[in-house]
Amino acid sequence: MSSLSIKKRVGINVTIVIFVVISIISIHAYSEFKEALERNLDYRLQSDAVSAYILLNSNHNDELIKEHISLLLSAKTDYHLRGYAVWFDQDKTMLTSSDTFKEIKAILDQEHTIAPKTGEFNFTNITYKDKPCRVIWASFENKTKSFPNKKTINVLVAISSRHAWGEITNFMNVLILIGVISIWASVGLIMWILRWALRPIDDMAKKMNRISAPNVSSDELNIDETALELQPFATAWQSMLNRLDKAIQQEKRFIADASHELRTPLAAMKSTLQVAKLKDRDADYYKQAIDKSLTSMQRMEMLIEQLLELARSQEQSLELSQNEVNIANMLSEIAEQHRNNASQKGQNIEVNSCNAKIRCHEHQLARAISNILTNAIKYGPSNSTITITSKVDDNNLLIKIHDCGGNIAEEEIEFLFERFYRSDKVRTSGSGGVGLGLSLAKEIVNSHGGEITVESSAKAGTVFTISLPMK
Amino acid sequence: MRALVVEDETILANNIAQALREGAGFAVDVSNDGLEGLHFATTTPYDLLVLDLMLPGMDGMDILKNIRAKGIKTAVLIMTARDTSEDIINGLNIGADDYLTKPFDIGEFIARCRALVRRSYREPSPEITISNIRINTLKKQVFVFDKLVTLTALEYKTLEYLVMRCNEVVTKTDLLEHLYDQSWDRDSNVIEVHISSLRKKLDPEKTLNPIKTLRGHGYIIER
């Protein structure tokens, strides 16, 4: 059912409803019509029976009555079966009857038709010589003087109902025809209405079809112009598109940045070598050119290394390669590795760790902390202390790296973890970073289900906090 | 001719500057910062601006927009790692004259810079002839009556600039601004010395008088 189109679903349901309604109306009309026709027949039969009785009941002698009856017998209409049957009480002997009515009486007896009470009558449908007939059997009180010992007079009158049935059949055919036409027409109408009503969906689908990367901006959707019912849908789409657009833009910028960062040292290297070749130089010049090329190459090497690291950190969130690590040991090891660098700026690294154990990718997490520490050494003031603390708080392991470095501007914090972001100051200072360290740290911490936050003020310095869930 | 290179990668910036000095004979200033670059470009009449796009301080596109908004018509070569046609179209539409993606061939770079400067002086041919003087700007050679004349580097630069602006009055300030980069102490007397030695070399018999002096105004070479 789920793969049926809305059009078909609604169409089928409405068609069924219309079919049922039309059927009910037809059945009702049919039975009303049939009843009316039968009433009409019954009325005739009844009046015939009554007039026969009146004839019999007139105070005449036997001979005259017999004459009346033979008159009756000769009466005929198009519909009437020729004749009557008249008899007294339960007599098997008919007072008078045509052969036809003898046979009809025989059919009634055969079907065990119960005789009506005196003064009443009943109707029966029978088939006589393959023709449908309706028969009245009326039973009257005998008030004639001719047959004083008889209590009741029975009168049987029959009428052919073939004509009536023909009319009923005709009526039914008409009903069926009307039914079929109206179902067909209403299905067509419904389909048309549905198509018209569902056009906004088609339109939206067409609009969506036109949207493709890299330009997924959702201006095309034009929410104000879409149908009211579709607006929540369109709005959801729009926000999804906006998110996608943002992601694509970010990715685009990353590629642009990556190519810039890779091509710039390449261009530097190439130009160094080509300028050296412009004319004959002395040995010192060539040595310098080689040094410059090497510097550029190291930069590229570092960049490629970090880009690969970044790609790997996005891949590796597998539980398998995780192991239990004592955080105190890890932090003091990292501090040890950086002590040399820090001391060149007269900086001191203090570690103040709790003894918690955490499941993580040891190498990756160490890289993340190490990157933040490198950052702290780089931008922290000379002759200051960098403190690394860790503690367990509310089932989270908090690792804080605090340096007395200056204020990071509010608007810069937002971009701090973006790939290739280096504040202007940093770029010009030639600090040698490539702008991937912090984003790599963030990527690693995120893949562990944790997060990194930064607080910075001129007074308190800068604090990077890594928060990791203890599973 | 004087060029400004705005590029934050110092090694690349210095290489470009050296290539322009040695390969094209330009006086070159270098800036590693966008804001500083914009300041230089708006205060000095450069013949060529070599712009990187990703710069600290101010983006290269913004610098370009800024100087074009100020009506500065200096030829601009954008030199960047962004290589999508979208970026190139953007750069050219904002007012750049040429676009080069990193890494590039230094020879191509020099040739493009030269062509841009020639164009900006409406002198598309690299060989310029004015009456009996023929100048090959590629080889930096000067012929008088088809005879090679040896000039010093600054004499050649002076002549080239005057020829590029032929039929125009060139003041001493113009010459100082276009022939020397920032690191030089400017002294207008030096110009007079160059002009007089140029005259001697181009016109030893003093019959042609190719460089005319308009007293109080400057110099002019007429075609």
Side-chain angles (χ1 to χ4, degrees), chain A residues 103-125:
Chain A
E103 283 166 27
I104 289 173
K105 178 69 173 53
I107 293 170
L108 287 180
D109 287 341
Q110 212 176 351
E111 289 180 2
H112 306 292
T113 312
I114 300 155
K117 289 175 187 165
T118 310
E120 287 178 10
F121 44 82
N122 62 20
F123 297 97
T124 321
N125 286 324

PDB file of all heavy atoms in Angstrom, chain A residues 103-125:
ATOM      1  N   GLU A 103     -55.457 -25.753 -13.696  1.00  0.00           N
ATOM      2  CA  GLU A 103     -54.022 -25.999 -13.615  1.00  0.00           C
ATOM      3  C   GLU A 103     -53.376 -25.100 -12.573  1.00  0.00           C
ATOM      4  O   GLU A 103     -52.500 -25.521 -11.799  1.00  0.00           O
ATOM      5  CB  GLU A 103     -53.352 -25.765 -14.983  1.00  0.00           C
ATOM      6  CG  GLU A 103     -53.594 -26.908 -15.944  1.00  0.00           C
ATOM      7  CD  GLU A 103     -53.243 -26.534 -17.382  1.00  0.00           C
ATOM      8  OE1 GLU A 103     -52.360 -25.641 -17.583  1.00  0.00           O
ATOM      9  OE2 GLU A 103     -53.839 -27.101 -18.299  1.00  0.00           O
ATOM     10  N   ILE A 104     -53.799 -23.821 -12.553  1.00  0.00           N
ATOM     11  CA  ILE A 104     -53.225 -22.872 -11.583  1.00  0.00           C
ATOM     12  C   ILE A 104     -53.536 -23.328 -10.166  1.00  0.00           C
ATOM     13  O   ILE A 104     -52.657 -23.319  -9.300  1.00  0.00           O
ATOM     14  CB  ILE A 104     -53.744 -21.441 -11.848  1.00  0.00           C
ATOM     15  CG1 ILE A 104     -53.104 -20.915 -13.146  1.00  0.00           C
ATOM     16  CG2 ILE A 104     -53.420 -20.502 -10.685  1.00  0.00           C
ATOM     17  CD1 ILE A 104     -53.650 -19.604 -13.616  1.00  0.00           C
ATOM     18  N   LYS A 105     -54.783 -23.787  -9.984  1.00  0.00           N
ATOM     19  CA  LYS A 105     -55.166 -24.266  -8.645  1.00  0.00           C
ATOM     20  C   LYS A 105     -54.291 -25.460  -8.266  1.00  0.00           C
ATOM     21  O   LYS A 105     -53.820 -25.577  -7.128  1.00  0.00           O
ATOM     22  CB  LYS A 105     -56.661 -24.668  -8.659  1.00  0.00           C
ATOM     23  CG  LYS A 105     -57.179 -25.240  -7.345  1.00  0.00           C
ATOM     24  CD  LYS A 105     -57.242 -24.159  -6.276  1.00  0.00           C
ATOM     25  CE  LYS A 105     -57.911 -24.615  -4.983  1.00  0.00           C
ATOM     26  NZ  LYS A 105     -57.409 -25.807  -4.372  1.00  0.00           N
ATOM     27  N   ALA A 106     -54.062 -26.332  -9.269  1.00  0.00           N
ATOM     28  CA  ALA A 106     -53.216 -27.494  -9.015  1.00  0.00           C
ATOM     29  C   ALA A 106     -51.830 -27.064  -8.586  1.00  0.00           C
ATOM     30  O   ALA A 106     -51.238 -27.624  -7.659  1.00  0.00           O
ATOM     31  CB  ALA A 106     -53.142 -28.351 -10.277  1.00  0.00           C
ATOM     32  N   ILE A 107     -51.255 -26.023  -9.263  1.00  0.00           N
ATOM     33  CA  ILE A 107     -49.915 -25.524  -8.880  1.00  0.00           C
ATOM     34  C   ILE A 107     -49.929 -25.016  -7.449  1.00  0.00           C
ATOM     35  O   ILE A 107     -49.032 -25.317  -6.654  1.00  0.00           O
ATOM     36  CB  ILE A 107     -49.474 -24.403  -9.850  1.00  0.00           C
ATOM     37  CG1 ILE A 107     -49.238 -24.975 -11.250  1.00  0.00           C
ATOM     38  CG2 ILE A 107     -48.187 -23.717  -9.363  1.00  0.00           C
ATOM     39  CD1 ILE A 107     -49.023 -23.931 -12.335  1.00  0.00           C
ATOM     40  N   LEU A 108     -51.008 -24.279  -7.107  1.00  0.00           N
ATOM     41  CA  LEU A 108     -51.094 -23.721  -5.747  1.00  0.00           C
ATOM     42  C   LEU A 108     -51.148 -24.846  -4.721  1.00  0.00           C
ATOM     43  O   LEU A 108     -50.447 -24.789  -3.710  1.00  0.00           O
ATOM     44  CB  LEU A 108     -52.336 -22.827  -5.610  1.00  0.00           C
ATOM     45  CG  LEU A 108     -52.278 -21.455  -6.305  1.00  0.00           C
ATOM     46  CD1 LEU A 108     -53.584 -20.697  -6.072  1.00  0.00           C
ATOM     47  CD2 LEU A 108     -51.095 -20.636  -5.800  1.00  0.00           C
ATOM     48  N   ASP A 109     -51.963 -25.881  -5.031  1.00  0.00           N
ATOM     49  CA  ASP A 109     -52.071 -27.014  -4.106  1.00  0.00           C
ATOM     50  C   ASP A 109     -50.730 -27.712  -3.967  1.00  0.00           C
ATOM     51  O   ASP A 109     -50.303 -28.085  -2.884  1.00  0.00           O
ATOM     52  CB  ASP A 109     -53.131 -28.017  -4.610  1.00  0.00           C
ATOM     53  CG  ASP A 109     -54.546 -27.460  -4.413  1.00  0.00           C
ATOM     54  OD1 ASP A 109     -54.671 -26.514  -3.581  1.00  0.00           O
ATOM     55  OD2 ASP A 109     -55.481 -27.909  -5.096  1.00  0.00           O
ATOM     56  N   GLN A 110     -50.066 -27.820  -5.105  1.00  0.00           N
ATOM     57  CA  GLN A 110     -48.758 -28.477  -5.119  1.00  0.00           C
ATOM     58  C   GLN A 110     -47.765 -27.725  -4.233  1.00  0.00           C
ATOM     59  O   GLN A 110     -46.927 -28.322  -3.559  1.00  0.00           O
ATOM     60  CB  GLN A 110     -48.252 -28.469  -6.563  1.00  0.00           C
ATOM     61  CG  GLN A 110     -47.411 -29.664  -6.897  1.00  0.00           C
ATOM     62  CD  GLN A 110     -47.046 -29.623  -8.386  1.00  0.00           C
ATOM     63  OE1 GLN A 110     -47.550 -28.808  -9.160  1.00  0.00           O
ATOM     64  NE2 GLN A 110     -46.233 -30.554  -8.801  1.00  0.00           N
ATOM     65  N   GLU A 111     -47.859 -26.420  -4.240  1.00  0.00           N
ATOM     66  CA  GLU A 111     -46.931 -25.618  -3.427  1.00  0.00           C
ATOM     67  C   GLU A 111     -47.434 -25.437  -2.012  1.00  0.00           C
ATOM     68  O   GLU A 111     -46.888 -24.640  -1.248  1.00  0.00           O
ATOM     69  CB  GLU A 111     -46.719 -24.252  -4.097  1.00  0.00           C
ATOM     70  CG  GLU A 111     -45.894 -24.372  -5.362  1.00  0.00           C
ATOM     71  CD  GLU A 111     -45.671 -23.035  -6.049  1.00  0.00           C
ATOM     72  OE1 GLU A 111     -46.126 -21.991  -5.512  1.00  0.00           O
ATOM     73  OE2 GLU A 111     -45.047 -23.032  -7.119  1.00  0.00           O
ATOM     74  N   HIS A 112     -48.544 -26.149  -1.695  1.00  0.00           N
ATOM     75  CA  HIS A 112     -49.126 -26.105  -0.342  1.00  0.00           C
ATOM     76  C   HIS A 112     -49.447 -24.689   0.090  1.00  0.00           C
ATOM     77  O   HIS A 112     -49.114 -24.261   1.186  1.00  0.00           O
ATOM     78  CB  HIS A 112     -48.205 -26.770   0.687  1.00  0.00           C
ATOM     79  CG  HIS A 112     -47.820 -28.146   0.301  1.00  0.00           C
ATOM     80  ND1 HIS A 112     -48.740 -29.208   0.266  1.00  0.00           N
ATOM     81  CD2 HIS A 112     -46.638 -28.678  -0.102  1.00  0.00           C
ATOM     82  CE1 HIS A 112     -48.117 -30.302  -0.134  1.00  0.00           C
ATOM     83  NE2 HIS A 112     -46.848 -30.017  -0.376  1.00  0.00           N
ATOM     84  N   THR A 113     -49.975 -23.924  -0.804  1.00  0.00           N
ATOM     85  CA  THR A 113     -50.366 -22.568  -0.459  1.00  0.00           C
ATOM     86  C   THR A 113     -51.527 -22.635   0.530  1.00  0.00           C
ATOM     87  O   THR A 113     -52.498 -23.354   0.315  1.00  0.00           O
ATOM     88  CB  THR A 113     -50.809 -21.798  -1.725  1.00  0.00           C
ATOM     89  OG1 THR A 113     -49.830 -22.001  -2.701  1.00  0.00           O
ATOM     90  CG2 THR A 113     -51.009 -20.337  -1.438  1.00  0.00           C
ATOM     91  N   ILE A 114     -51.346 -21.919   1.642  1.00  0.00           N
ATOM     92  CA  ILE A 114     -52.363 -21.978   2.697  1.00  0.00           C
ATOM     93  C   ILE A 114     -53.538 -21.100   2.309  1.00  0.00           C
ATOM     94  O   ILE A 114     -53.355 -19.947   1.870  1.00  0.00           O
ATOM     95  CB  ILE A 114     -51.777 -21.513   4.036  1.00  0.00           C
ATOM     96  CG1 ILE A 114     -50.597 -22.439   4.413  1.00  0.00           C
ATOM     97  CG2 ILE A 114     -52.822 -21.498   5.148  1.00  0.00           C
ATOM     98  CD1 ILE A 114     -49.598 -21.780   5.331  1.00  0.00           C
ATOM     99  N   ALA A 115     -54.717 -21.646   2.477  1.00  0.00           N
ATOM    100  CA  ALA A 115     -55.914 -20.878   2.113  1.00  0.00           C
ATOM    101  C   ALA A 115     -56.086 -19.686   3.042  1.00  0.00           C
ATOM    102  O   ALA A 115     -55.785 -19.785   4.233  1.00  0.00           O
ATOM    103  CB  ALA A 115     -57.141 -21.780   2.241  1.00  0.00           C
ATOM    104  N   PRO A 116     -56.479 -18.536   2.501  1.00  0.00           N
ATOM    105  CA  PRO A 116     -56.675 -17.365   3.363  1.00  0.00           C
ATOM    106  C   PRO A 116     -57.896 -17.567   4.256  1.00  0.00           C
ATOM    107  O   PRO A 116     -58.772 -18.374   3.952  1.00  0.00           O
ATOM    108  CB  PRO A 116     -56.892 -16.249   2.358  1.00  0.00           C
ATOM    109  CG  PRO A 116     -57.380 -16.918   1.109  1.00  0.00           C
ATOM    110  CD  PRO A 116     -56.805 -18.284   1.092  1.00  0.00           C
ATOM    111  N   LYS A 117     -57.915 -16.841   5.406  1.00  0.00           N
ATOM    112  CA  LYS A 117     -59.094 -16.921   6.285  1.00  0.00           C
ATOM    113  C   LYS A 117     -60.257 -16.240   5.576  1.00  0.00           C
ATOM    114  O   LYS A 117     -60.039 -15.437   4.644  1.00  0.00           O
ATOM    115  CB  LYS A 117     -58.817 -16.172   7.590  1.00  0.00           C
ATOM    116  CG  LYS A 117     -57.825 -16.901   8.480  1.00  0.00           C
ATOM    117  CD  LYS A 117     -57.531 -16.030   9.693  1.00  0.00           C
ATOM    118  CE  LYS A 117     -56.416 -16.651  10.514  1.00  0.00           C
ATOM    119  NZ  LYS A 117     -55.877 -15.662  11.465  1.00  0.00           N
ATOM    120  N   THR A 118     -61.429 -16.546   6.065  1.00  0.00           N
ATOM    121  CA  THR A 118     -62.609 -15.968   5.434  1.00  0.00           C
ATOM    122  C   THR A 118     -62.543 -14.436   5.534  1.00  0.00           C
ATOM    123  O   THR A 118     -62.240 -13.886   6.589  1.00  0.00           O
ATOM    124  CB  THR A 118     -63.892 -16.467   6.138  1.00  0.00           C
ATOM    125  OG1 THR A 118     -63.817 -17.889   6.224  1.00  0.00           O
ATOM    126  CG2 THR A 118     -65.147 -16.059   5.382  1.00  0.00           C
ATOM    127  N   GLY A 119     -62.804 -13.776   4.405  1.00  0.00           N
ATOM    128  CA  GLY A 119     -62.779 -12.301   4.374  1.00  0.00           C
ATOM    129  C   GLY A 119     -61.386 -11.761   4.085  1.00  0.00           C
ATOM    130  O   GLY A 119     -61.166 -10.559   4.068  1.00  0.00           O
ATOM    131  N   GLU A 120     -60.459 -12.670   3.898  1.00  0.00           N
ATOM    132  CA  GLU A 120     -59.095 -12.179   3.621  1.00  0.00           C
ATOM    133  C   GLU A 120     -58.610 -12.734   2.284  1.00  0.00           C
ATOM    134  O   GLU A 120     -59.300 -13.544   1.657  1.00  0.00           O
ATOM    135  CB  GLU A 120     -58.147 -12.614   4.735  1.00  0.00           C
ATOM    136  CG  GLU A 120     -58.379 -11.840   6.018  1.00  0.00           C
ATOM    137  CD  GLU A 120     -57.466 -12.302   7.135  1.00  0.00           C
ATOM    138  OE1 GLU A 120     -56.529 -13.094   6.848  1.00  0.00           O
ATOM    139  OE2 GLU A 120     -57.694 -11.867   8.273  1.00  0.00           O
ATOM    140  N   PHE A 121     -57.399 -12.326   1.895  1.00  0.00           N
ATOM    141  CA  PHE A 121     -56.858 -12.857   0.624  1.00  0.00           C
ATOM    142  C   PHE A 121     -55.337 -12.901   0.720  1.00  0.00           C
ATOM    143  O   PHE A 121     -54.727 -12.246   1.564  1.00  0.00           O
ATOM    144  CB  PHE A 121     -57.283 -12.001  -0.574  1.00  0.00           C
ATOM    145  CG  PHE A 121     -57.175 -10.525  -0.325  1.00  0.00           C
ATOM    146  CD1 PHE A 121     -55.942  -9.890  -0.467  1.00  0.00           C
ATOM    147  CD2 PHE A 121     -58.296  -9.788   0.050  1.00  0.00           C
ATOM    148  CE1 PHE A 121     -55.874  -8.540  -0.227  1.00  0.00           C
ATOM    149  CE2 PHE A 121     -58.188  -8.442   0.290  1.00  0.00           C
ATOM    150  CZ  PHE A 121     -56.988  -7.802   0.143  1.00  0.00           C
ATOM    151  N   ASN A 122     -54.756 -13.703  -0.114  1.00  0.00           N
ATOM    152  CA  ASN A 122     -53.281 -13.670  -0.192  1.00  0.00           C
ATOM    153  C   ASN A 122     -52.820 -13.681  -1.650  1.00  0.00           C
ATOM    154  O   ASN A 122     -53.587 -14.022  -2.553  1.00  0.00           O
ATOM    155  CB  ASN A 122     -52.671 -14.812   0.615  1.00  0.00           C
ATOM    156  CG  ASN A 122     -53.057 -16.182   0.117  1.00  0.00           C
ATOM    157  OD1 ASN A 122     -53.486 -16.306  -1.042  1.00  0.00           O
ATOM    158  ND2 ASN A 122     -52.945 -17.180   0.951  1.00  0.00           N
ATOM    159  N   PHE A 123     -51.552 -13.256  -1.822  1.00  0.00           N
ATOM    160  CA  PHE A 123     -50.995 -13.190  -3.183  1.00  0.00           C
ATOM    161  C   PHE A 123     -49.857 -14.185  -3.310  1.00  0.00           C
ATOM    162  O   PHE A 123     -49.084 -14.371  -2.374  1.00  0.00           O
ATOM    163  CB  PHE A 123     -50.453 -11.789  -3.480  1.00  0.00           C
ATOM    164  CG  PHE A 123     -51.514 -10.729  -3.450  1.00  0.00           C
ATOM    165  CD1 PHE A 123     -51.729  -9.952  -2.326  1.00  0.00           C
ATOM    166  CD2 PHE A 123     -52.310 -10.520  -4.588  1.00  0.00           C
ATOM    167  CE1 PHE A 123     -52.712  -8.988  -2.313  1.00  0.00           C
ATOM    168  CE2 PHE A 123     -53.297  -9.541  -4.560  1.00  0.00           C
ATOM    169  CZ  PHE A 123     -53.498  -8.760  -3.427  1.00  0.00           C
ATOM    170  N   THR A 124     -49.741 -14.805  -4.444  1.00  0.00           N
ATOM    171  CA  THR A 124     -48.641 -15.743  -4.672  1.00  0.00           C
ATOM    172  C   THR A 124     -48.071 -15.512  -6.063  1.00  0.00           C
ATOM    173  O   THR A 124     -48.819 -15.217  -6.998  1.00  0.00           O
ATOM    174  CB  THR A 124     -49.148 -17.202  -4.607  1.00  0.00           C
ATOM    175  OG1 THR A 124     -50.105 -17.309  -3.576  1.00  0.00           O
ATOM    176  CG2 THR A 124     -47.998 -18.158  -4.380  1.00  0.00           C
ATOM    177  N   ASN A 125     -46.753 -15.601  -6.149  1.00  0.00           N
ATOM    178  CA  ASN A 125     -46.114 -15.554  -7.470  1.00  0.00           C
ATOM    179  C   ASN A 125     -45.867 -16.982  -7.904  1.00  0.00           C
ATOM    180  O   ASN A 125     -45.261 -17.763  -7.166  1.00  0.00           O
ATOM    181  CB  ASN A 125     -44.779 -14.829  -7.406  1.00  0.00           C
ATOM    182  CG  ASN A 125     -44.969 -13.324  -7.262  1.00  0.00           C
ATOM    183  OD1 ASN A 125     -45.917 -12.769  -7.836  1.00  0.00           O
ATOM    184  ND2 ASN A 125     -44.116 -12.683  -6.502  1.00  0.00           N
TER     185      ASN A 125
END
